[in-house]
Structures are given as structure tokens and as C-alpha cells.
């Protein structure tokens, strides 16, 4: 008996195999269309949030390409314009580099539209930001932000739309407490600086929804302004403020409640330092530089610096104690000024007489002493021991300072040249920074008829004549050297010309002999003859060159 195969199971098996084959063919023929369709999404992020009235926040339109290369995006974002304001759009850091429709806000319709793209290979990531939208909350309520007319096109050459879904975002706008005011002052702009101005003025920001402020001005840094509206304006001013550190406390009120307290500090010191004292040692008269000591008191901003003026001159910053670097003989007025951190100051002055450190007495030269031109003059004399002496000839100070020894003597060799005639010598003593007066005036003469050189004296006319002779001799030597150099140059030029002429003659002789050889002899004989001619010419060139060298050496 034959065994039969059931027909129904066989048909089911064939149907399953055929379906598998069809699926494989579709995958192999068009895999992109199968997996690309519906794989992308456009999202508004964050998808939810809670914000206070007047607060600004940012949302982003983000593409998820689902791993499929995409190169074009389009959407229209809608928002409730009675609850939100779209203030601006940012495309910085966008995946798009080409904008076929730049993002634009239609405030009357409450929409934001754009379309953009990028070159091959496109974008296939999962969180690519296309644009950022900045919103500002206008009033309380629920704001739903949606999308429409959205597309994500694949980079497949056919522009297949692979957008599968878009989302909507829900934002809850609440009546929140306002932010703390930001206080500024024109009169006291820096909270860390002391001011002498006693009138204080301040302003702060007043945002939408704020209906009043609580304002307190006192010297307590830690308190909060009470929850009670004291004014509606965003400014405050007060005059005749006492010295000290003061604080302005401001809180803002709105439908959502009270803000935190904002505090602004001002430091006022309108009083000058007091109890300023100046002590000069020695007090009234001194033969040395005096020492100044000074002090003052300031309970407000504190003492900042002292300044000193001598004889109503320029003010300089000094510290106590102070000793002048240099001072002249006579009466002087020292004025000291104490300045606090606010710029307030107090001033006091004292006088002192500075006596002379002594005078100069000259031993040499003596009055009306005669010297000759170029004769060395040794200036000697007496002054205060260990002092410095400045010498003056005809009122001009000599560059070197002369030091007086312990016995009060000094000596200075003057080696400069002075014109014939009468000259005046003076000196000035300086001791411990005190400049004395010019003293010890002596007149001496320079005789112009003789010139002293060492221990010998010569008439001026003799030296002038000798100088003229030397100059003439130098001119003769120079002219002779010029003539000799010119003659040598001409001789060398003639020698070179002769050598060139001889070489040219040799060349012509060689050319002539070569021609004769070519015409009269056979090829072999010509070779032999040419070799002899070459040796002869080489010998002649060598001899001519040697003559040229010998001639040049003899000229040198």
C-alpha cells in the first residue's frame, strides 16, 4: 500500500518559503527604503518645565536621524503668544550649514519657521541641535509648544522623508517671587571706597509685575527689609548723612510675593583728620639737616598718607620721620598735610633757620697772583673739616667735588686752559646736605705773552711760528706722497700694457706659424712642427711673465 503525503502541510511549508524569499529580495533590492522610513524624529527640548512670570528660558529644536544620513530639515514651531514671547533665535552650533529659509519669528501668529540642510554625507546622529529659541514668560498659565509642516529628508538622492514623529513641549508659567533688585549708585559707585560726599543717591531695576518696594537705610548690615511696601519708585536719595558705614536694604514685591533683600553699602567720612602735630629737631635753628616727625588722628576712613611742601613748593608724599636730602642756608617753612582715605585733610606748618656750614679761605692762588698760559694751578685752602667744597672760576662750577680733610685743609690741581686776563675764584661749602654761600673770592691773572710747558716758558710768537713750520712740513710730505703714488700707478699701467702687447704678438706669431705649417707640410709633419712651436711659445710666455713679475716687485 502506497504512503500518501498530506497536501495541507505541504502547501503551508511552500507558502512560508515563498514569503521568506520575497522578504530577502526586498531587503537586497531596496534596504534603504525599508529601514529609513519613519526612523527620524524632531523634538522640542526640554519637553516640559516650570518658569516664573518675567523669566526667560531657552528651548532647542533637536533632530534624531535614527542612524540614517539626512541632509535637509524643516519645521514650524507654534507657541501661545498670550503666555509666551519669542524674543530671539540662535543658530550657533547648529548641524545645519545651509539655510534655505532663515529662522524667523512671526509674533502676530505665534510661529517660528525655518528650513535648512548640510552637504554630503549629511547628519546621522541622535541629538543634533538645529536652532535654539529664547522665550520670555508673560503671564501665568500652561503654554504648549507644537510643531507642524515638519520634514527630515534622507541623503539618498531621492530626498526620501524619513520623519517618523515630532513632539510637543508643555511649559507651566507660575506667579513666582521676583528676583532681588540690582542696586547702583552714582554718588557712591564703589562699595569698598570711602567718600566725603554726604548725599547718597541710588537706583535699581523694576521688572514687569513688581508693584512696590520695601526700603530701609541704616547702619545694620544683617537685617532684612520688612514685608511692607514703603515706596513704588525704583530710586532712593538721602542728604546730610553722618560719618560711618551705612546700608541700603531693598526688597521687591509682586503678585508672587517678596524677593530676597538686596543690600548696598556706602562708606562716608566727611571729617578731616585732627590732632595733627609737627615736630622739627632741632626746633628753631640748625647747622645740619633737620628731622621732621608728624602724626594725626582720623576715626572715620583712617589716615591714608602725609604730604610735605617746603617753602610753598611742590607737594611730595613722605613718611615720619623725614629728613630732607639737601637744604640751603636761610629760613625755611615746612608744611605737612595729613590726608584720610576719603580725601579730607588737615594742614600745619613750622619754620626753621638753617645756618651756614662755614666759608672757604684760599691759600693759593693768592689775590692778583700771575700765571702763564698752560701753567698748572694748584688750588689750596681751608674749610670746615670733612665738608665738601665746590669751586667756581668766573662763576662756573668745576666738575669735581673737593673733600676737606680732618684738619680742614683741601688741595685741587686745576689743569684746564684759561684765556689771558683776570679771573675770579670762589668756593662753596656743603656739609650734611646743607649748601653754604659762595665765599673766599680771589682774583688771579693769566699772562698771554708766555706759554709754560713743564718747567720751561716760551714766547707765544715762537710757538706760533714753530706750529706754522710743522704745518708746512706736513703739507710738503703729503704732496710728495701723492706724487709718488701717482707715478707708481702710471708705471704699473705701462708695464701691464707692454705685457699685453707682447702676448698679443706671440699669439699672432703662433697663428702665422700654424698657417704656414698647414700649407707646407703633411699632417704628420704638421703635428711635429706644431709641438715644437708650442714649446717655443710656452717658453716665451714664461719668460715674459717672469719679466712682468720682476718689474712689479722692483716697483714695490
Amino acid at each position: 500500500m502506497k504512503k500518501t503525503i498530506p497536501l495541507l502541510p505541504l502547501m503551508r511549508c511552500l507558502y512560508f518559503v515563498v514569503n521568506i524569499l520575497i522578504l530577502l529580495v526586498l531587503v537586497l533590492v531596496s534596504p534603504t527604503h525599508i529601514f529609513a522610513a519613519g526612523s527620524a524624529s524632531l523634538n522640542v527640548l526640554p519637553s516640559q518645565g516650570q518658569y516664573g512670570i518675567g523669566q526667560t528660558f531657552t528651548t532647542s529644536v533637536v533632530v534624531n536621524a535614527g542612524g540614517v544620513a539626512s541632509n535637509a530639515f524643516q519645521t514650524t514651531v507654534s507657541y501661545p503668544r498670550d503666555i509666551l514671547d519669542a524674543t530671539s533665535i540662535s543658530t550657533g552650533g547648529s548641524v545645519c550649514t545651509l539655510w534655505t529659509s532663515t529662522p524667523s519669528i512671526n509674533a502676530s501668529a505665534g510661529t517660528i519657521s525655518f528650513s535648512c540642510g548640510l552637504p554630503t554625507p549629511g547628519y546621522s546622529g541622535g541629538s543634533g541641535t538645529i536652532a535654539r529659541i529664547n522665550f520670555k514668560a508673560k503671564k501665568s498659565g500652561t503654554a504648549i509648544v507644537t510643531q507642524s509642516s515638519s520634514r527630515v529628508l534622507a541623503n539618498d538622492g531621492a530626498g526620501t522623508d524619513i520623519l517618523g514623529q515630532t513632539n510637543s513641549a508643555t511649559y507651566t508659567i507660575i506667579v513666582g517671587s521676583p528676583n532681588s533688585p540690582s542696586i547702583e549708585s552714582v554718588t557712591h559707585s564703589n562699595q569698598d571706597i570711602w567718600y566725603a560726599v554726604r548725599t547718597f543717591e541710588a537706583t535699581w531695576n523694576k521688572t514687569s509685575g513688581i508693584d512696590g518696594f520695601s526700603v530701609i537705610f541704616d547702619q545694620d548690615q544683617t537685617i532684612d527689609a520688612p514685608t511692607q511696601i514703603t515706596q513704588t519708585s525704583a530710586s532712593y536719595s538721602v542728604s546730610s548723612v553722618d560719618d560711618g558705614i551705612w546700608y541700603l536694604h531693598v526688597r521687591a514685591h509682586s503678585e508672587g510675593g517678596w524677593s530676597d533683600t538686596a543690600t548696598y553699602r556706602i562708606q562716608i567720612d566727611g571729617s578731616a583728620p585732627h590732632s595733627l602735630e609737627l615736630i622739627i629737631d632741632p626746633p628753631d635753628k640748625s647747622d645740619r639737616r633737620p628731622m621732621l616727625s608728624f602724626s594725626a588722628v582720623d576715626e572715620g576712613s583712617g589716615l591714608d598718607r602725609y604730604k610735605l611742601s617746603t617753602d610753598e613748593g611742590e607737594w611730595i608724599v613722605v613718611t615720619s620721620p623725614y629728613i630732607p636730602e639737601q637744604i640751603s642756608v636761610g629760613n625755611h617753612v615746612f608744611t605737612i598735610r595729613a590726608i584720610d582715605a576719603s580725601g579730607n585733610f588737615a594742614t600745619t606748618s613750622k619754620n626753621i633757620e638753617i645756618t651756614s656750614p662755614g666759608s672757604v679761605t684760599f691759600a693759593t692762588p693768592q689775590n692778583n697772583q700771575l700765571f702763564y698760559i698752560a701753567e698748572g694751578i694748584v688750588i689750596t685752602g681751608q674749610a670746615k673739616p670733612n665738608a665738601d667744597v665746590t669751586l667756581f672760576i668766573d662763576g662756573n662750577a668745576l666738575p669735581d667735588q673737593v673733600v676737606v680733610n680732618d684738619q680742614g685743609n683741601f688741595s685741587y690741581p686745576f689743569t684746564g686752559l684759561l684765556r689771558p686776563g683776570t679771573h675770579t675764584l670762589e668756593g662753596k661749602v656743603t656739609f650734611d646736605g646743607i649748601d653754604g654761600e659762595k665765599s673766599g673770592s680771589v682774583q688771579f691773572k693769566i699772562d698771554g705773552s708766555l706759554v709754560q710747558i713743564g718747567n720751561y716758558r716760551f714766547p707765544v710768537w715762537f710757538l706760533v711760528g714753530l706750529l706754522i713750520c710743522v704745518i708746512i712740513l706736513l703739507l710738503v710730505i703729503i704732496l710728495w706722497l701723492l706724487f709718488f703714488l701717482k707715478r707708481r700707478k702710471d708705471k704699473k699701467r705701462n708695464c701691464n700694457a707692454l705685457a699685453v702687447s707682447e702676448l698679443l704678438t706671440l699669439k699672432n706669431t703662433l697663428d702665422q706659424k700654424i698657417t704656414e705649417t698647414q700649407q707646407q707640410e703633411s699632417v704628420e709633419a704638421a703635428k711635429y712642427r706644431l709641438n715644437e712651436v708650442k714649446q717655443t711659445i710656452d717658453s716665451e710666455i714664461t719668460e715674459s711673465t717672469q719679466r712682468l713679475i720682476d718689474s712689479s716687485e722692483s716697483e714695490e
Side-chain angles (χ1 to χ4, degrees), residues 225-237:
T227 56
Q228 179 181 358
I229 295 178
T230 60
Q231 65 182 62
T232 57
S233 63
S235 63
Y236 179 82
S237 64

Side-chain angles (χ1 to χ4, degrees), residues 195-218:
Y195 294 87
V197 180
R198 296 188 180 277
T199 298
F200 171 62
E201 297 178 1
T203 58
W204 53 87
N205 57 312
K206 184 177 182 180
T207 57
S208 176
I210 293 178
D211 54 15
F213 302 95
S214 174
V215 180
I216 289 182
F217 184 70
D218 61 15

Side-chain angles (χ1 to χ4, degrees), residues 443-482:
Q443 290 188 342
F444 61 96
K445 297 179 180 180
I446 302 296
D447 188 345
S449 62
L450 297 176
V451 177
Q452 181 161 331
I453 301 176
N455 295 324
Y456 301 98
R457 293 173 185 168
F458 301 92
V460 173
W461 63 265
F462 172 76
L463 294 179
V464 172
L466 181 62
L467 180 62
I468 292 174
C469 292
V470 171
I471 293 174
I472 293 174
L473 179 62
L474 289 175
L475 290 175
V476 170
I477 293 174
I478 292 172
L479 292 174
W480 182 82
L481 287 174
L482 292 175

Side-chain angles (χ1 to χ4, degrees), residues 254-301:
S254 69
E255 183 182 351
W258 287 93
S259 71
D260 294 332
T261 299
T263 300
Y264 192 90
R265 180 180 65 186
I266 62 170
Q267 301 179 133
I268 295 179
D269 179 11
S271 302
H274 61 89
S275 303
L276 176 60
E277 185 177 9
L278 171 61
I279 299 174
I280 300 180
D281 181 29
D284 301 316
K285 183 181 291 187
S286 176
D287 60 352
R288 58 180 174 84
R289 290 177 298 162
M291 182 175 68
L292 282 64
S293 302
F294 36 87
S295 62
V297 178
D298 189 272
E299 292 89 354
S301 58

Side-chain angles (χ1 to χ4, degrees), residues 58-59 88-94 99 103 129-134:
T58 302
T59 63
S88 62
I89 302 172
S90 171
T91 58
S94 173
W99 294 88
T129 299
I130 298 177
R132 294 179 178 86
I133 306 170
N134 297 315

Side-chain angles (χ1 to χ4, degrees), residues 126-453:
S127 57
T129 299
I130 298 177
R132 294 179 178 86
I133 306 170
N134 297 315
F135 287 111
K136 182 177 181 180
K138 295 170 59 177
K139 72 172 187 177
S140 59
T142 300
I144 300 176
V145 178
T146 61
Q147 297 183 75
S148 60
S149 303
S150 305
R151 301 174 67 193
V152 176
L153 304 183
N155 187 27
D156 58 357
T160 305
D161 188 357
I162 60 172
L163 180 63
Q165 64 177 11
T166 60
N167 80 325
S168 60
T170 303
Y171 304 120
T172 303
I173 309 304
I174 62 174
V175 180
S177 58
N179 295 325
S180 299
S182 177
I183 305 173
E184 296 180 350
S185 173
V186 176
T187 57
H188 300 71
S189 57
N190 192 327
Q191 300 184 62
D192 297 322
I193 293 179
W194 285 85
Y195 294 87
V197 180
R198 296 188 180 277
T199 298
F200 171 62
E201 297 178 1
T203 58
W204 53 87
N205 57 312
K206 184 177 182 180
T207 57
S208 176
I210 293 178
D211 54 15
F213 302 95
S214 174
V215 180
I216 289 182
F217 184 70
D218 61 15
Q219 291 185 286
D220 189 349
Q221 182 181 8
T222 61
I223 70 167
D224 283 332
T227 56
Q228 179 181 358
I229 295 178
T230 60
Q231 65 182 62
T232 57
S233 63
S235 63
Y236 179 82
S237 64
V238 59
S239 59
S240 302
V241 182
D242 293 336
D243 292 347
I245 300 176
W246 294 81
Y247 301 92
L248 177 66
H249 310 280
V250 181
R251 297 180 77 175
H253 181 268
S254 69
E255 183 182 351
W258 287 93
S259 71
D260 294 332
T261 299
T263 300
Y264 192 90
R265 180 180 65 186
I266 62 170
Q267 301 179 133
I268 295 179
D269 179 11
S271 302
H274 61 89
S275 303
L276 176 60
E277 185 177 9
L278 171 61
I279 299 174
I280 300 180
D281 181 29
D284 301 316
K285 183 181 291 187
S286 176
D287 60 352
R288 58 180 174 84
R289 290 177 298 162
M291 182 175 68
L292 282 64
S293 302
F294 36 87
S295 62
V297 178
D298 189 272
E299 292 89 354
S301 58
L303 290 169
D304 182 68
R305 61 195 181 278
Y306 292 93
K307 283 190 170 183
L308 174 70
S309 173
T310 304
D311 299 330
E312 298 183 355
E314 181 183 357
W315 290 95
I316 60 173
V317 177
V318 294
T319 57
S320 180
Y322 172 78
I323 299 176
E325 291 185 2
Q326 197 163 1
I327 191 169
S328 61
V329 175
N331 291 316
H332 296 280
V333 179
F334 291 108
T335 303
I336 198 72
R337 176 173 290 177
I339 307 172
D340 64 17
S342 295
N344 306 302
F345 61 87
T347 303
T348 188
S349 300
K350 280 193 176 181
N351 295 7
I352 187 173
E353 180 184 354
I354 304 298
T355 59
S356 174
S359 59
V360 177
T361 301
F362 290 106
T364 57
Q366 298 178 356
N367 204 27
N368 295 320
Q369 186 174 351
L370 181 65
F371 296 92
Y372 297 101
I373 296 176
E375 181 178 356
I377 302 175
V378 178
I379 303 173
T380 62
Q382 295 78 39
K384 187 180 182 68
N386 301 316
D388 294 328
V389 173
T390 303
L391 300 176
F392 300 84
I393 295 181
D394 298 332
N396 300 315
L398 300 185
D400 300 321
Q401 196 97 25
V402 181
V403 179
V404 184
N405 62 22
D406 295 341
Q407 287 74 38
N409 301 316
F410 66 87
S411 176
Y412 177 77
F414 177 73
T415 57
L417 290 177
L418 296 174
R419 59 175 175 77
T422 302
H423 299 274
T424 301
L425 173 65
E426 296 174 295
K428 182 179 72 173
V429 179
T430 301
F431 183 75
D432 191 33
I434 299 176
D435 287 336
E437 303 290 339
K438 289 183 180 179
S439 58
S441 179
V442 172
Q443 290 188 342
F444 61 96
K445 297 179 180 180
I446 302 296
D447 188 345
S449 62
L450 297 176
V451 177
Q452 181 161 331
I453 301 176

Side-chain angles (χ1 to χ4, degrees), residues 3-30:
K3 194 173 182 181
T4 61
I5 299 175
L7 184 59
L8 184 58
L10 181 61
M11 293 296 294
R12 288 178 178 176
C13 183
L14 291 174
Y15 178 75
F16 177 75
V17 171
V18 169
N19 284 335
I20 293 296
L21 292 175
I22 292 173
L23 182 61
L24 290 174
V25 169
L26 290 176
V27 170
L28 293 174
V29 172
S30 183

